[in-house]
């Protein structure tokens, strides 16, 4: 199961990196708010993965 968790962690890190690039290129405040929100959400999920908590609720 550790392999799957590691893959999910890498995926979340990649998503965060992508959103940071989009944030840096955002032209409007609305876009910046959207990307910040998505980064925060993905960061919470990443923190849960790293702490060993389940990522998805049943």
């Amino acid at each position: 199961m550790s392999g799957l968790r590691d893959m999910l962690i890498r995926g979340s890190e990649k998503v965060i990196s992508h959103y940071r690039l989009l944030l840096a290129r955002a032209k409007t405040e609305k876009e910046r708010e959207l990307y910040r929100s998505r980064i925060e959400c993905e960061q919470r999920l990443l923190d849960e993965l790293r702490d060993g908590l389940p990522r998805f609720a049943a």
Side-chain angles (χ1 to χ4, degrees):
M1 192 69 149
S2 176
L4 176 60
R5 194 168 121 236
D6 291 343
M7 183 179 72
L8 291 172
I9 288 171
R10 283 192 307 275
S12 288
E13 291 169 340
K14 198 170 186 178
V15 167
I16 290 170
S17 294
H18 182 72
Y19 280 132
R20 286 186 177 142
L21 288 172
L22 292 172
L23 177 60
R25 296 178 182 145
K27 298 197 186 314
T28 66
E29 186 58 33
K30 186 174 180 178
E31 281 181 292
R32 286 187 282 275
E33 288 176 20
L34 174 66
Y35 298 138
R36 282 186 200 113
S37 171
R38 291 186 178 179
I39 290 168
E40 289 171 10
C41 180
E42 194 65 34
Q43 186 63 55
R44 281 192 300 272
L45 294 172
L46 180 58
D47 292 343
E48 289 177 9
L49 279 170
R50 287 184 172 149
D51 292 341
L53 300 174
R55 181 178 173 130
F56 303 105

